[in-house]
Amino acid sequence: GDSVTQMEGPVTLSEEAFLTINCTYTATGYPSLFWYVQYPGEGLQLLLKATKADDKGSNKGFEATYRKETTSFHLEKGSVQVSDSAVYFCALIMDSNYQLIWGAGTKLIIKP
Amino acid sequence: EAQVTQNPRYLITVTGKKLTVTCSQNMNHEYMSWYRQDPGLGLRQIYYSMNVEVTDKGDVPEGYKVSRKEKRNFPLILESPSPNQTSLYFCASSLKGLAGATYNEQFFGPGTRLTVL
């Protein structure tokens, strides 16, 4: 079945460091891809999405490019801040099915 | 304000004592869903509903029930909770729409942390 694999955490970085969180997927068709963020004690918020190959989603300085050839959707940010500390989830959805398929989540810790 | 609300936010209960977690959305969304979040497993879908009186099982439905009598509400019922249902639960909703699932953002509630002793 469809699945999402993302790098295990926690990922610990210093403020202003470059961030990459890897995400790869397996799907029988052409999914849309998402990154959600969960701040401590809060629910899930959509961070960015891409609906077709080569699309780049971006928001709040974060970017991810939908790479069909490598079935990947890696999350990047050029300069992280302490306020970016959260758990990040990669997810996919097929157009015919409203079920989001989730990765395990990656906890990001940013130290001042 | 457009939102999904869940109640209670925190609940500690004992094995076998029936409980209901409520979920309500004020966005007139057709689609609603329940997920559970467990460490290292991400979120897994329990049940979903495409519209009023239409519900279906997700990946982990055992031990749970749902109902969708009104468009805005989608309660999750645990008839006889067990310790393996200790988890963080999220309700989500989205428009169904003609554009398909990928174009309609799913909105999440704040979560309900359930502990079954």
Side-chain angles (χ1 to χ4, degrees), chain B:
Chain B
E1 180 190 354
Q3 59 182 347
V4 179
T5 56
Q6 295 178 227
N7 282 292
R9 293 288 311 278
Y10 303 91
L11 179 60
I12 300 173
T13 189
V14 295
T15 299
K17 187 176 181 182
K18 181 179 179 179
L19 67 92
T20 299
V21 183
T22 64
C23 172
S24 183
Q25 49 91 7
N26 61 1
M27 296 168 279
N28 203 35
H29 286 169
E30 296 90 356
Y31 177 84
M32 296 186 75
S33 177
W34 277 102
Y35 295 90
R36 60 178 287 174
Q37 180 184 355
D38 301 291
L41 297 177
L43 281 79
R44 294 176 292 169
Q45 190 179 54
I46 303 170
Y47 268 95
Y48 66 95
S49 170
M50 297 296 279
N51 215 325
V52 176
E53 301 290 2
V54 180
T55 63
D56 211 343
K57 296 177 181 178
D59 293 326
V60 289
E62 295 77 20
Y64 304 94
K65 285 175 58 177
V66 293
S67 68
R68 189 89 182 273
K69 292 183 170 57
E70 307 164 283
K71 198 171 189 180
R72 64 184 294 127
N73 296 322
F74 190 46
L76 179 69
I77 303 155
L78 284 72
E79 295 265 359
S80 183
S82 62
N84 64 12
Q85 293 177 298
T86 293
S87 188
L88 180 58
Y89 292 86
F90 287 101
C91 180
S93 74
S94 77
L95 287 169
K96 204 167 72 171
L98 296 175
T102 58
Y103 295 93
N104 295 304
E105 178 182 347
Q106 290 195 23
F107 293 83
F108 285 80
T112 295
R113 186 166 291 283
L114 172 65
T115 302
V116 183
L117 302 174

Side-chain angles (χ1 to χ4, degrees), chain A residues 32 34 36 38 41-44 46 49 51 89 93-95 97-100 102-104, chain B residues 9 31 35 37 40 42-43 45 50 59 90 95-97 99-102 105-106 108-109:
Chain A
S32 288
F34 303 82
Y36 279 82
Q38 184 178 31
E42 297 186 13
L44 292 143
L46 178 63
K49 73 176 187 180
T51 57
F89 290 92
I93 200 168
M94 305 301 293
D95 199 37
N97 182 340
Y98 283 74
Q99 180 185 6
L100 279 161
W102 299 82
Chain B
R9 293 288 311 278
Y31 177 84
Y35 295 90
Q37 180 184 355
L43 281 79
Q45 190 179 54
M50 297 296 279
D59 293 326
F90 287 101
L95 287 169
K96 204 167 72 171
T102 58
E105 178 182 347
Q106 290 195 23
F108 285 80

